[in-house]
Amino acid sequence: MAKINVQNTEVTVINFEAQDYISLTDMAGAKENESRAADVIKNWLRNRYTIEFLGTWEMIHNPDFKVVEFDHFKMQAGLPSFVLSCSEWIEKTNAIGIIVKKGRYGGTYAHKDIAFEFGSAISVPFKLYLIEEFQRLKEEEQKLLGWSAKRELAKINYRIHTDAIKQNLIPLELTPAQKSFVYADEADMLNVAMFGKTAREWREENPDLKGNIRDYASINQLICLSNMENLNAVFINEGLAQLERLEKLNKIAIQQMKVLENVDDKRFLKLTDSETR
C-alpha cells in the first residue's frame, strides 16, 4: 500500500493480484466530502459511457467476464431509473477491474486504467495530476527495487566473503566471540576501504539513523561493495595480509566509483599512513 497526494487529497494505491489499484473512494473525496464519496461513484456508474468503458476493459483483460450481463446493464444505462452499485457490477458480471474492500483500508478500488478514467468525473486537472503523481510513485518504486536488488546482491556476496574468512583466517581453536571479532574486523576493513570510515564511526556521526552504514549506501556504492567483497575473498584465498588488501581495495573502490558516477570522487577518504597502521 502507498499514498499519493493529488491536489491536497491523499489517495491510496494498493497492489492486488500483481496490479495497481487506486482508491476511488479517496478520489471521490476530492469532489464531495467523505460521507458522499459513495454517491459520486454511483452517479459515475449510471453513465452509459462508463458502463461501455468498464465492459470493454473487462473484455480485454478478463476472460471470465460475463458479456451477457454486461449487455443488459449497457441497455439500461442512462435511463432515469437505472441505478448500479460497484458490488452489484462485480457480482453480476464477474468483473475484476473494480474491487470493494472492507476493514482498515476499506473502500472501492479500481485498476489504474479505470481510476484514471474516473478522474475525469472529478475534474480534468485532478485526472492529470493523478496520472503525474502515480507515475512519480512508480519511478520511486523502481529506484527502491533497484536499490533492494543491489543490497541483496551485496548480502549474497558477503556470504562468499565470510566463507573465505572462515576457511583462511579463523583458527579452529578460537572461541565464538573471537570468531565474531574476526568477521567484524574484516567487515569494517571493507567499510573503511569503501566509505572511508568504520561502522562505529558512522554510528557516532549518525546517532538518529537506524540500521548500518550499508543500509544508506547508494546503488553505485552497493555495486562497488559487491565487487569488493568478491575481490577480498580472492585476496584472502591468495594469502594477502589485511593491510595489503585494504590498500588494494581502497584504490579499486575509488576507481570503480569514478567509472560508475563519471565524476571526480570526493567522498572517499584517502588512506594515510596513520590510518593503515
Side-chain angles (χ1 to χ4, degrees):
M1 188 197 75
K3 298 276 189 179
I4 56 177
N5 193 286
V6 184
Q7 293 190 309
N8 299 319
T9 298
E10 195 172 66
V11 179
T12 307
V13 181
I14 63 172
N15 188 271
F16 179 75
E17 300 290 342
Q19 295 290 327
D20 291 306
Y21 280 67
I22 300 174
S23 173
L24 301 188
T25 303
D26 290 345
M27 291 174 62
K31 187 169 185 177
E32 297 284 351
N33 57 49
E34 188 176 339
S35 63
R36 295 201 59 197
D39 293 333
V40 174
I41 299 172
K42 270 189 175 182
N43 288 335
W44 176 68
L45 277 175
R46 293 184 61 190
N47 187 283
R48 181 181 178 84
Y49 175 81
T50 299
I51 297 299
E52 289 183 350
F53 180 89
L54 293 177
T56 303
W57 187 94
E58 293 289 345
M59 286 188 285
I60 294 172
H61 299 281
N62 181 8
D64 298 319
F65 183 60
K66 297 179 180 179
V67 179
V68 174
E69 283 76 4
F70 158 60
D71 287 336
H72 174 71
F73 284 134
K74 187 168 67 171
M75 290 176 61
Q76 292 184 318
L79 295 175
S81 59
F82 179 68
V83 178
L84 179 66
S85 68
C86 289
S87 297
E88 186 179 4
W89 167 255
I90 296 167
E91 181 183 353
K92 298 291 186 181
T93 67
N94 203 32
I96 60 173
I98 295 178
I99 59 174
V100 177
K101 292 179 64 68
K102 297 181 179 180
R104 184 178 180 185
Y105 301 109
T108 301
Y109 292 79
H111 186 277
K112 61 181 180 61
D113 299 343
I114 298 171
F116 293 158
E117 181 63 27
F118 177 69
S120 300
I122 308 303
S123 72
V124 172
F126 185 91
K127 176 181 179 178
L128 293 175
Y129 280 117
L130 172 70
I131 295 172
E132 184 176 301
E133 286 302 308
F134 180 81
Q135 290 173 338
R136 183 192 59 76
L137 172 66
K138 293 293 103 180
E139 289 171 3
E140 290 298 320
E141 287 181 353
Q142 286 300 315
K143 290 178 183 178
L144 181 59
L145 182 62
W147 185 91
S148 298
K150 298 301 186 301
R151 186 71 174 99
E152 289 304 311
L153 177 62
K155 289 179 180 179
I156 292 170
N157 285 335
Y158 189 65
R159 293 291 298 274
I160 299 172
H161 180 236
T162 55
D163 186 66
I165 295 172
K166 181 179 180 181
Q167 297 298 325
N168 297 277
L169 300 181
I170 299 182
L172 295 175
E173 61 272 15
L174 289 187
T175 65
Q178 291 171 324
K179 291 178 182 178
S180 295
F181 177 81
V182 176
Y183 286 125
D185 183 54
E186 284 295 319
D188 250 354
M189 188 271 292
L190 286 178
N191 288 335
V192 172
M194 180 66 219
F195 304 108
K197 62 190 68 177
T198 65
R200 180 177 179 179
E201 288 171 339
W202 180 86
R203 285 194 298 271
E204 289 174 349
E205 293 174 5
N206 302 277
D208 298 328
L209 295 180
K210 296 181 180 180
N212 59 58
I213 189 171
R214 301 185 185 198
D215 292 324
Y216 296 89
S218 68
I219 290 178
N220 285 342
Q221 287 174 325
L222 290 175
I223 292 172
C224 187
L225 185 61
S226 295
N227 294 337
M228 290 170 59
E229 287 171 339
N230 279 329
L231 288 170
N232 194 41
V234 172
F235 294 159
I236 290 173
N237 289 327
E238 290 177 350
L240 298 184
Q242 188 184 71
L243 175 59
E244 187 177 358
R245 287 186 280 113
L246 176 58
E247 292 174 339
K248 282 179 175 288
L249 291 170
N250 179 249
K251 291 178 181 178
I252 291 169
I254 294 172
Q255 180 185 21
Q256 289 193 359
M257 286 300 294
K258 283 182 178 179
V259 172
L260 289 170
E261 299 189 350
N262 198 28
V263 293
D264 291 334
D265 193 302
K266 297 180 181 179
R267 289 177 294 173
F268 290 91
L269 301 181
K270 189 70 176 176
L271 296 175
T272 63
D273 291 340
S274 61
E275 288 175 319
T276 56
R277 291 195 184 100

mmCIF file of all heavy atoms in Angstrom, residues 84-130:
data_model
loop_
_atom_site.group_PDB
_atom_site.id
_atom_site.type_symbol
_atom_site.label_atom_id
_atom_site.label_comp_id
_atom_site.label_asym_id
_atom_site.label_seq_id
_atom_site.Cartn_x
_atom_site.Cartn_y
_atom_site.Cartn_z
ATOM 1 N N LEU A 84 -26.846 1.470 -10.216
ATOM 2 C CA LEU A 84 -25.919 0.326 -10.162
ATOM 3 C C LEU A 84 -24.839 0.609 -9.132
ATOM 4 O O LEU A 84 -24.239 1.689 -9.114
ATOM 5 C CB LEU A 84 -25.284 0.096 -11.537
ATOM 6 C CG LEU A 84 -24.270 -1.050 -11.653
ATOM 7 C CD1 LEU A 84 -24.957 -2.399 -11.437
ATOM 8 C CD2 LEU A 84 -23.588 -1.020 -13.021
ATOM 9 N N SER A 85 -24.613 -0.372 -8.265
ATOM 10 C CA SER A 85 -23.537 -0.243 -7.288
ATOM 11 C C SER A 85 -22.322 -1.027 -7.784
ATOM 12 O O SER A 85 -22.444 -1.917 -8.639
ATOM 13 C CB SER A 85 -23.974 -0.784 -5.925
ATOM 14 O OG SER A 85 -24.146 -2.195 -5.988
ATOM 15 N N CYS A 86 -21.159 -0.717 -7.235
ATOM 16 C CA CYS A 86 -19.940 -1.445 -7.604
ATOM 17 C C CYS A 86 -20.061 -2.920 -7.243
ATOM 18 O O CYS A 86 -19.652 -3.800 -8.019
ATOM 19 C CB CYS A 86 -18.735 -0.825 -6.907
ATOM 20 S SG CYS A 86 -18.279 0.793 -7.547
ATOM 21 N N SER A 87 -20.614 -3.201 -6.080
ATOM 22 C CA SER A 87 -20.760 -4.594 -5.647
ATOM 23 C C SER A 87 -21.652 -5.375 -6.597
ATOM 24 O O SER A 87 -21.374 -6.536 -6.932
ATOM 25 C CB SER A 87 -21.331 -4.651 -4.225
ATOM 26 O OG SER A 87 -20.454 -4.041 -3.305
ATOM 27 N N GLU A 88 -22.738 -4.741 -7.065
ATOM 28 C CA GLU A 88 -23.637 -5.415 -7.999
ATOM 29 C C GLU A 88 -22.946 -5.647 -9.342
ATOM 30 O O GLU A 88 -23.098 -6.702 -9.960
ATOM 31 C CB GLU A 88 -24.903 -4.576 -8.193
ATOM 32 C CG GLU A 88 -25.969 -5.269 -9.033
ATOM 33 C CD GLU A 88 -27.224 -4.437 -9.191
ATOM 34 O OE1 GLU A 88 -27.239 -3.279 -8.701
ATOM 35 O OE2 GLU A 88 -28.189 -4.924 -9.817
ATOM 36 N N TRP A 89 -22.196 -4.658 -9.810
ATOM 37 C CA TRP A 89 -21.451 -4.799 -11.064
ATOM 38 C C TRP A 89 -20.473 -5.976 -10.995
ATOM 39 O O TRP A 89 -20.390 -6.792 -11.908
ATOM 40 C CB TRP A 89 -20.724 -3.500 -11.362
ATOM 41 C CG TRP A 89 -19.686 -3.582 -12.445
ATOM 42 C CD1 TRP A 89 -18.336 -3.606 -12.293
ATOM 43 C CD2 TRP A 89 -19.924 -3.663 -13.864
ATOM 44 N NE1 TRP A 89 -17.712 -3.686 -13.508
ATOM 45 C CE2 TRP A 89 -18.664 -3.732 -14.496
ATOM 46 C CE3 TRP A 89 -21.074 -3.687 -14.652
ATOM 47 C CZ2 TRP A 89 -18.513 -3.816 -15.874
ATOM 48 C CZ3 TRP A 89 -20.928 -3.770 -16.031
ATOM 49 C CH2 TRP A 89 -19.671 -3.843 -16.639
ATOM 50 N N ILE A 90 -19.773 -6.073 -9.877
ATOM 51 C CA ILE A 90 -18.791 -7.150 -9.702
ATOM 52 C C ILE A 90 -19.490 -8.504 -9.633
ATOM 53 O O ILE A 90 -19.073 -9.475 -10.276
ATOM 54 C CB ILE A 90 -17.961 -6.904 -8.421
ATOM 55 C CG1 ILE A 90 -17.147 -5.615 -8.550
ATOM 56 C CG2 ILE A 90 -17.044 -8.094 -8.130
ATOM 57 C CD1 ILE A 90 -16.549 -5.128 -7.254
ATOM 58 N N GLU A 91 -20.560 -8.564 -8.833
ATOM 59 C CA GLU A 91 -21.268 -9.832 -8.629
ATOM 60 C C GLU A 91 -21.918 -10.341 -9.918
ATOM 61 O O GLU A 91 -21.828 -11.526 -10.251
ATOM 62 C CB GLU A 91 -22.317 -9.649 -7.543
ATOM 63 C CG GLU A 91 -23.097 -10.925 -7.229
ATOM 64 C CD GLU A 91 -24.183 -10.704 -6.189
ATOM 65 O OE1 GLU A 91 -24.243 -9.599 -5.607
ATOM 66 O OE2 GLU A 91 -24.985 -11.638 -5.983
ATOM 67 N N LYS A 92 -22.574 -9.455 -10.655
ATOM 68 C CA LYS A 92 -23.339 -9.865 -11.835
ATOM 69 C C LYS A 92 -22.451 -10.191 -13.041
ATOM 70 O O LYS A 92 -22.752 -11.090 -13.825
ATOM 71 C CB LYS A 92 -24.338 -8.773 -12.223
ATOM 72 C CG LYS A 92 -25.392 -8.461 -11.170
ATOM 73 C CD LYS A 92 -26.371 -9.618 -11.003
ATOM 74 C CE LYS A 92 -27.500 -9.208 -10.055
ATOM 75 N NZ LYS A 92 -28.473 -10.318 -9.839
ATOM 76 N N THR A 93 -21.350 -9.456 -13.202
ATOM 77 C CA THR A 93 -20.519 -9.621 -14.413
ATOM 78 C C THR A 93 -19.204 -10.342 -14.170
ATOM 79 O O THR A 93 -18.471 -10.620 -15.105
ATOM 80 C CB THR A 93 -20.206 -8.253 -15.034
ATOM 81 O OG1 THR A 93 -19.362 -7.511 -14.135
ATOM 82 C CG2 THR A 93 -21.471 -7.472 -15.325
ATOM 83 N N ASN A 94 -18.894 -10.619 -12.899
ATOM 84 C CA ASN A 94 -17.606 -11.232 -12.549
ATOM 85 C C ASN A 94 -16.442 -10.312 -12.914
ATOM 86 O O ASN A 94 -15.371 -10.763 -13.340
ATOM 87 C CB ASN A 94 -17.449 -12.590 -13.248
ATOM 88 C CG ASN A 94 -16.454 -13.496 -12.531
ATOM 89 O OD1 ASN A 94 -16.314 -13.434 -11.316
ATOM 90 N ND2 ASN A 94 -15.753 -14.325 -13.278
ATOM 91 N N ALA A 95 -16.657 -9.029 -12.740
ATOM 92 C CA ALA A 95 -15.648 -8.033 -13.097
ATOM 93 C C ALA A 95 -14.459 -8.083 -12.145
ATOM 94 O O ALA A 95 -14.600 -8.426 -10.969
ATOM 95 C CB ALA A 95 -16.275 -6.636 -13.076
ATOM 96 N N ILE A 96 -13.295 -7.723 -12.667
ATOM 97 C CA ILE A 96 -12.073 -7.687 -11.854
ATOM 98 C C ILE A 96 -11.442 -6.291 -11.836
ATOM 99 O O ILE A 96 -10.504 -6.040 -11.095
ATOM 100 C CB ILE A 96 -11.026 -8.701 -12.356
ATOM 101 C CG1 ILE A 96 -10.632 -8.379 -13.808
ATOM 102 C CG2 ILE A 96 -11.552 -10.132 -12.237
ATOM 103 C CD1 ILE A 96 -9.476 -9.224 -14.331
ATOM 104 N N GLY A 97 -11.950 -5.401 -12.666
ATOM 105 C CA GLY A 97 -11.361 -4.064 -12.754
ATOM 106 C C GLY A 97 -11.670 -3.193 -11.564
ATOM 107 O O GLY A 97 -10.945 -2.234 -11.281
ATOM 108 N N ILE A 98 -12.757 -3.501 -10.859
ATOM 109 C CA ILE A 98 -13.141 -2.782 -9.643
ATOM 110 C C ILE A 98 -13.266 -3.788 -8.506
ATOM 111 O O ILE A 98 -13.793 -4.883 -8.701
ATOM 112 C CB ILE A 98 -14.480 -2.035 -9.841
ATOM 113 C CG1 ILE A 98 -14.330 -0.942 -10.892
ATOM 114 C CG2 ILE A 98 -14.976 -1.439 -8.534
ATOM 115 C CD1 ILE A 98 -15.616 -0.188 -11.174
ATOM 116 N N ILE A 99 -12.751 -3.427 -7.344
ATOM 117 C CA ILE A 99 -12.877 -4.286 -6.164
ATOM 118 C C ILE A 99 -13.382 -3.450 -4.989
ATOM 119 O O ILE A 99 -13.147 -2.242 -4.929
ATOM 120 C CB ILE A 99 -11.543 -4.969 -5.786
ATOM 121 C CG1 ILE A 99 -10.460 -3.916 -5.494
ATOM 122 C CG2 ILE A 99 -11.085 -5.917 -6.882
ATOM 123 C CD1 ILE A 99 -9.158 -4.521 -4.985
ATOM 124 N N VAL A 100 -14.102 -4.094 -4.101
ATOM 125 C CA VAL A 100 -14.597 -3.438 -2.891
ATOM 126 C C VAL A 100 -13.976 -4.130 -1.699
ATOM 127 O O VAL A 100 -14.117 -5.345 -1.529
ATOM 128 C CB VAL A 100 -16.138 -3.507 -2.808
ATOM 129 C CG1 VAL A 100 -16.620 -2.873 -1.498
ATOM 130 C CG2 VAL A 100 -16.779 -2.811 -4.001
ATOM 131 N N LYS A 101 -13.238 -3.361 -0.897
ATOM 132 C CA LYS A 101 -12.555 -3.921 0.262
ATOM 133 C C LYS A 101 -13.195 -3.421 1.545
ATOM 134 O O LYS A 101 -13.659 -2.293 1.626
ATOM 135 C CB LYS A 101 -11.067 -3.534 0.245
ATOM 136 C CG LYS A 101 -10.266 -4.178 -0.882
ATOM 137 C CD LYS A 101 -8.822 -3.742 -0.860
ATOM 138 C CE LYS A 101 -8.093 -4.200 0.394
ATOM 139 N NZ LYS A 101 -7.924 -5.674 0.422
ATOM 140 N N LYS A 102 -13.181 -4.291 2.547
ATOM 141 C CA LYS A 102 -13.672 -3.931 3.864
ATOM 142 C C LYS A 102 -12.497 -3.879 4.832
ATOM 143 O O LYS A 102 -11.403 -4.322 4.519
ATOM 144 C CB LYS A 102 -14.710 -4.943 4.346
ATOM 145 C CG LYS A 102 -15.973 -4.988 3.479
ATOM 146 C CD LYS A 102 -16.970 -5.999 4.012
ATOM 147 C CE LYS A 102 -18.235 -6.033 3.158
ATOM 148 N NZ LYS A 102 -19.222 -7.013 3.666
ATOM 149 N N GLY A 103 -12.754 -3.360 6.009
ATOM 150 C CA GLY A 103 -11.703 -3.342 7.012
ATOM 151 C C GLY A 103 -10.969 -2.018 7.070
ATOM 152 O O GLY A 103 -11.457 -0.970 6.634
ATOM 153 N N ARG A 104 -9.745 -2.075 7.571
ATOM 154 C CA ARG A 104 -8.958 -0.872 7.867
ATOM 155 C C ARG A 104 -8.759 0.013 6.634
ATOM 156 O O ARG A 104 -8.880 1.228 6.704
ATOM 157 C CB ARG A 104 -7.602 -1.281 8.440
ATOM 158 C CG ARG A 104 -6.741 -0.102 8.868
ATOM 159 C CD ARG A 104 -5.442 -0.574 9.460
ATOM 160 N NE ARG A 104 -4.603 0.543 9.880
ATOM 161 C CZ ARG A 104 -3.372 0.418 10.344
ATOM 162 N NH1 ARG A 104 -2.836 -0.792 10.461
ATOM 163 N NH2 ARG A 104 -2.668 1.470 10.699
ATOM 164 N N TYR A 105 -8.421 -0.607 5.521
ATOM 165 C CA TYR A 105 -8.212 0.162 4.289
ATOM 166 C C TYR A 105 -9.355 -0.088 3.313
ATOM 167 O O TYR A 105 -9.158 -0.231 2.119
ATOM 168 C CB TYR A 105 -6.864 -0.211 3.668
ATOM 169 C CG TYR A 105 -5.692 0.047 4.594
ATOM 170 C CD1 TYR A 105 -4.987 -1.008 5.166
ATOM 171 C CD2 TYR A 105 -5.320 1.351 4.915
ATOM 172 C CE1 TYR A 105 -3.917 -0.776 6.024
ATOM 173 C CE2 TYR A 105 -4.261 1.594 5.778
ATOM 174 C CZ TYR A 105 -3.560 0.526 6.329
ATOM 175 O OH TYR A 105 -2.512 0.758 7.175
ATOM 176 N N GLY A 106 -10.571 -0.137 3.869
ATOM 177 C CA GLY A 106 -11.738 -0.426 3.060
ATOM 178 C C GLY A 106 -12.097 0.694 2.109
ATOM 179 O O GLY A 106 -11.635 1.832 2.236
ATOM 180 N N GLY A 107 -12.933 0.342 1.139
ATOM 181 C CA GLY A 107 -13.368 1.310 0.145
ATOM 182 C C GLY A 107 -13.452 0.658 -1.221
ATOM 183 O O GLY A 107 -13.284 -0.555 -1.368
ATOM 184 N N THR A 108 -13.731 1.468 -2.213
ATOM 185 C CA THR A 108 -13.811 0.986 -3.590
ATOM 186 C C THR A 108 -12.517 1.324 -4.307
ATOM 187 O O THR A 108 -12.081 2.483 -4.309
ATOM 188 C CB THR A 108 -14.997 1.638 -4.323
ATOM 189 O OG1 THR A 108 -16.204 1.332 -3.631
ATOM 190 C CG2 THR A 108 -15.095 1.127 -5.745
ATOM 191 N N TYR A 109 -11.917 0.309 -4.910
ATOM 192 C CA TYR A 109 -10.660 0.481 -5.630
ATOM 193 C C TYR A 109 -10.861 0.067 -7.087
ATOM 194 O O TYR A 109 -11.683 -0.795 -7.393
ATOM 195 C CB TYR A 109 -9.546 -0.371 -5.019
ATOM 196 C CG TYR A 109 -9.106 0.060 -3.640
ATOM 197 C CD1 TYR A 109 -9.847 -0.280 -2.511
ATOM 198 C CD2 TYR A 109 -7.948 0.814 -3.465
ATOM 199 C CE1 TYR A 109 -9.446 0.119 -1.236
ATOM 200 C CE2 TYR A 109 -7.541 1.214 -2.199
ATOM 201 C CZ TYR A 109 -8.291 0.858 -1.089
ATOM 202 O OH TYR A 109 -7.887 1.256 0.157
ATOM 203 N N ALA A 110 -10.095 0.665 -7.976
ATOM 204 C CA ALA A 110 -10.177 0.313 -9.390
ATOM 205 C C ALA A 110 -8.780 0.197 -9.977
ATOM 206 O O ALA A 110 -7.836 0.873 -9.527
ATOM 207 C CB ALA A 110 -10.970 1.362 -10.161
ATOM 208 N N HIS A 111 -8.649 -0.684 -10.963
ATOM 209 C CA HIS A 111 -7.393 -0.787 -11.699
ATOM 210 C C HIS A 111 -7.003 0.608 -12.187
ATOM 211 O O HIS A 111 -7.853 1.437 -12.497
ATOM 212 C CB HIS A 111 -7.570 -1.743 -12.877
ATOM 213 C CG HIS A 111 -6.302 -2.031 -13.614
ATOM 214 N ND1 HIS A 111 -5.806 -1.190 -14.584
ATOM 215 C CD2 HIS A 111 -5.420 -3.064 -13.520
ATOM 216 C CE1 HIS A 111 -4.682 -1.687 -15.063
ATOM 217 N NE2 HIS A 111 -4.422 -2.830 -14.430
ATOM 218 N N LYS A 112 -5.718 0.864 -12.258
ATOM 219 C CA LYS A 112 -5.250 2.214 -12.586
ATOM 220 C C LYS A 112 -5.876 2.748 -13.886
ATOM 221 O O LYS A 112 -6.179 3.945 -13.980
ATOM 222 C CB LYS A 112 -3.727 2.250 -12.688
ATOM 223 C CG LYS A 112 -3.113 1.360 -13.745
ATOM 224 C CD LYS A 112 -1.605 1.449 -13.738
ATOM 225 C CE LYS A 112 -0.963 0.551 -14.790
ATOM 226 N NZ LYS A 112 -1.359 0.903 -16.168
ATOM 227 N N ASP A 113 -6.072 1.883 -14.884
ATOM 228 C CA ASP A 113 -6.685 2.341 -16.140
ATOM 229 C C ASP A 113 -8.070 2.928 -15.885
ATOM 230 O O ASP A 113 -8.443 3.970 -16.437
ATOM 231 C CB ASP A 113 -6.823 1.180 -17.131
ATOM 232 C CG ASP A 113 -5.490 0.571 -17.515
ATOM 233 O OD1 ASP A 113 -4.449 1.229 -17.292
ATOM 234 O OD2 ASP A 113 -5.477 -0.560 -18.035
ATOM 235 N N ILE A 114 -8.823 2.238 -15.056
ATOM 236 C CA ILE A 114 -10.193 2.665 -14.743
ATOM 237 C C ILE A 114 -10.180 3.876 -13.814
ATOM 238 O O ILE A 114 -10.990 4.802 -13.959
ATOM 239 C CB ILE A 114 -10.981 1.502 -14.122
ATOM 240 C CG1 ILE A 114 -11.085 0.349 -15.132
ATOM 241 C CG2 ILE A 114 -12.363 1.941 -13.666
ATOM 242 C CD1 ILE A 114 -11.657 -0.930 -14.571
ATOM 243 N N ALA A 115 -9.240 3.876 -12.858
ATOM 244 C CA ALA A 115 -9.142 5.001 -11.927
ATOM 245 C C ALA A 115 -8.807 6.296 -12.665
ATOM 246 O O ALA A 115 -9.347 7.364 -12.342
ATOM 247 C CB ALA A 115 -8.090 4.707 -10.861
ATOM 248 N N PHE A 116 -7.927 6.206 -13.653
ATOM 249 C CA PHE A 116 -7.605 7.404 -14.434
ATOM 250 C C PHE A 116 -8.857 7.921 -15.150
ATOM 251 O O PHE A 116 -9.084 9.123 -15.230
ATOM 252 C CB PHE A 116 -6.518 7.096 -15.464
ATOM 253 C CG PHE A 116 -5.171 6.782 -14.859
ATOM 254 C CD1 PHE A 116 -4.231 6.059 -15.577
ATOM 255 C CD2 PHE A 116 -4.837 7.214 -13.589
ATOM 256 C CE1 PHE A 116 -2.999 5.768 -15.040
ATOM 257 C CE2 PHE A 116 -3.597 6.927 -13.030
ATOM 258 C CZ PHE A 116 -2.675 6.202 -13.760
ATOM 259 N N GLU A 117 -9.660 6.994 -15.677
ATOM 260 C CA GLU A 117 -10.906 7.385 -16.347
ATOM 261 C C GLU A 117 -11.871 8.013 -15.340
ATOM 262 O O GLU A 117 -12.533 9.015 -15.647
ATOM 263 C CB GLU A 117 -11.541 6.163 -17.000
ATOM 264 C CG GLU A 117 -12.823 6.444 -17.753
ATOM 265 C CD GLU A 117 -12.638 7.391 -18.930
ATOM 266 O OE1 GLU A 117 -11.520 7.434 -19.492
ATOM 267 O OE2 GLU A 117 -13.599 8.089 -19.282
ATOM 268 N N PHE A 118 -11.942 7.439 -14.138
ATOM 269 C CA PHE A 118 -12.806 8.004 -13.099
ATOM 270 C C PHE A 118 -12.353 9.415 -12.726
ATOM 271 O O PHE A 118 -13.175 10.256 -12.323
ATOM 272 C CB PHE A 118 -12.789 7.097 -11.862
ATOM 273 C CG PHE A 118 -13.597 7.616 -10.705
ATOM 274 C CD1 PHE A 118 -14.978 7.674 -10.765
ATOM 275 C CD2 PHE A 118 -12.972 8.042 -9.542
ATOM 276 C CE1 PHE A 118 -15.728 8.155 -9.701
ATOM 277 C CE2 PHE A 118 -13.709 8.516 -8.466
ATOM 278 C CZ PHE A 118 -15.092 8.564 -8.547
ATOM 279 N N GLY A 119 -11.062 9.676 -12.876
ATOM 280 C CA GLY A 119 -10.546 11.009 -12.570
ATOM 281 C C GLY A 119 -11.246 12.101 -13.359
ATOM 282 O O GLY A 119 -11.381 13.240 -12.894
ATOM 283 N N SER A 120 -11.725 11.763 -14.553
ATOM 284 C CA SER A 120 -12.449 12.746 -15.368
ATOM 285 C C SER A 120 -13.741 13.171 -14.696
ATOM 286 O O SER A 120 -14.242 14.281 -14.933
ATOM 287 C CB SER A 120 -12.753 12.161 -16.753
ATOM 288 O OG SER A 120 -11.559 11.820 -17.436
ATOM 289 N N ALA A 121 -14.331 12.285 -13.878
ATOM 290 C CA ALA A 121 -15.570 12.610 -13.178
ATOM 291 C C ALA A 121 -15.311 13.589 -12.036
ATOM 292 O O ALA A 121 -16.243 14.239 -11.546
ATOM 293 C CB ALA A 121 -16.217 11.338 -12.627
ATOM 294 N N ILE A 122 -14.053 13.682 -11.600
ATOM 295 C CA ILE A 122 -13.694 14.632 -10.546
ATOM 296 C C ILE A 122 -13.416 15.994 -11.203
ATOM 297 O O ILE A 122 -14.098 16.962 -10.954
ATOM 298 C CB ILE A 122 -12.461 14.146 -9.750
ATOM 299 C CG1 ILE A 122 -12.661 12.707 -9.261
ATOM 300 C CG2 ILE A 122 -12.183 15.101 -8.581
ATOM 301 C CD1 ILE A 122 -13.879 12.490 -8.414
ATOM 302 N N SER A 123 -12.393 16.014 -12.049
ATOM 303 C CA SER A 123 -12.064 17.197 -12.848
ATOM 304 C C SER A 123 -10.881 16.841 -13.738
ATOM 305 O O SER A 123 -10.095 15.943 -13.416
ATOM 306 C CB SER A 123 -11.707 18.407 -11.966
ATOM 307 O OG SER A 123 -10.434 18.225 -11.364
ATOM 308 N N VAL A 124 -10.754 17.546 -14.845
ATOM 309 C CA VAL A 124 -9.627 17.291 -15.759
ATOM 310 C C VAL A 124 -8.289 17.551 -15.078
ATOM 311 O O VAL A 124 -7.366 16.739 -15.178
ATOM 312 C CB VAL A 124 -9.772 18.131 -17.045
ATOM 313 C CG1 VAL A 124 -8.516 18.009 -17.902
ATOM 314 C CG2 VAL A 124 -10.995 17.675 -17.836
ATOM 315 N N PRO A 125 -8.118 18.674 -14.365
ATOM 316 C CA PRO A 125 -6.841 18.884 -13.670
ATOM 317 C C PRO A 125 -6.534 17.770 -12.671
ATOM 318 O O PRO A 125 -5.393 17.321 -12.563
ATOM 319 C CB PRO A 125 -7.034 20.233 -12.962
ATOM 320 C CG PRO A 125 -8.065 20.931 -13.776
ATOM 321 C CD PRO A 125 -9.003 19.843 -14.233
ATOM 322 N N PHE A 126 -7.563 17.327 -11.932
ATOM 323 C CA PHE A 126 -7.347 16.255 -10.958
ATOM 324 C C PHE A 126 -6.841 14.995 -11.653
ATOM 325 O O PHE A 126 -5.914 14.340 -11.182
ATOM 326 C CB PHE A 126 -8.642 15.949 -10.200
ATOM 327 C CG PHE A 126 -8.471 14.929 -9.100
ATOM 328 C CD1 PHE A 126 -8.166 15.334 -7.812
ATOM 329 C CD2 PHE A 126 -8.598 13.567 -9.362
ATOM 330 C CE1 PHE A 126 -7.997 14.401 -6.798
ATOM 331 C CE2 PHE A 126 -8.429 12.629 -8.351
ATOM 332 C CZ PHE A 126 -8.122 13.049 -7.067
ATOM 333 N N LYS A 127 -7.450 14.649 -12.786
ATOM 334 C CA LYS A 127 -7.040 13.455 -13.532
ATOM 335 C C LYS A 127 -5.588 13.562 -13.958
ATOM 336 O O LYS A 127 -4.812 12.603 -13.812
ATOM 337 C CB LYS A 127 -7.939 13.275 -14.758
ATOM 338 C CG LYS A 127 -7.536 12.114 -15.653
ATOM 339 C CD LYS A 127 -8.460 12.005 -16.855
ATOM 340 C CE LYS A 127 -8.046 10.847 -17.773
ATOM 341 N NZ LYS A 127 -8.972 10.705 -18.924
ATOM 342 N N LEU A 128 -5.194 14.707 -14.481
ATOM 343 C CA LEU A 128 -3.826 14.886 -14.968
ATOM 344 C C LEU A 128 -2.817 14.835 -13.822
ATOM 345 O O LEU A 128 -1.753 14.228 -13.936
ATOM 346 C CB LEU A 128 -3.709 16.210 -15.727
ATOM 347 C CG LEU A 128 -4.498 16.275 -17.038
ATOM 348 C CD1 LEU A 128 -4.417 17.671 -17.644
ATOM 349 C CD2 LEU A 128 -4.006 15.230 -18.027
ATOM 350 N N TYR A 129 -3.163 15.462 -12.706
ATOM 351 C CA TYR A 129 -2.269 15.425 -11.542
ATOM 352 C C TYR A 129 -2.195 14.004 -10.958
ATOM 353 O O TYR A 129 -1.147 13.583 -10.464
ATOM 354 C CB TYR A 129 -2.721 16.418 -10.473
ATOM 355 C CG TYR A 129 -2.309 17.845 -10.765
ATOM 356 C CD1 TYR A 129 -3.270 18.830 -10.974
ATOM 357 C CD2 TYR A 129 -0.962 18.202 -10.835
ATOM 358 C CE1 TYR A 129 -2.898 20.143 -11.253
ATOM 359 C CE2 TYR A 129 -0.583 19.497 -11.109
ATOM 360 C CZ TYR A 129 -1.555 20.468 -11.324
ATOM 361 O OH TYR A 129 -1.181 21.753 -11.596
ATOM 362 N N LEU A 130 -3.315 13.291 -11.009
ATOM 363 C CA LEU A 130 -3.323 11.903 -10.526
ATOM 364 C C LEU A 130 -2.359 11.055 -11.347
ATOM 365 O O LEU A 130 -1.556 10.294 -10.790
ATOM 366 C CB LEU A 130 -4.741 11.328 -10.640
ATOM 367 C CG LEU A 130 -4.871 9.816 -10.348
ATOM 368 C CD1 LEU A 130 -4.639 9.549 -8.867
ATOM 369 C CD2 LEU A 130 -6.245 9.310 -10.774
#
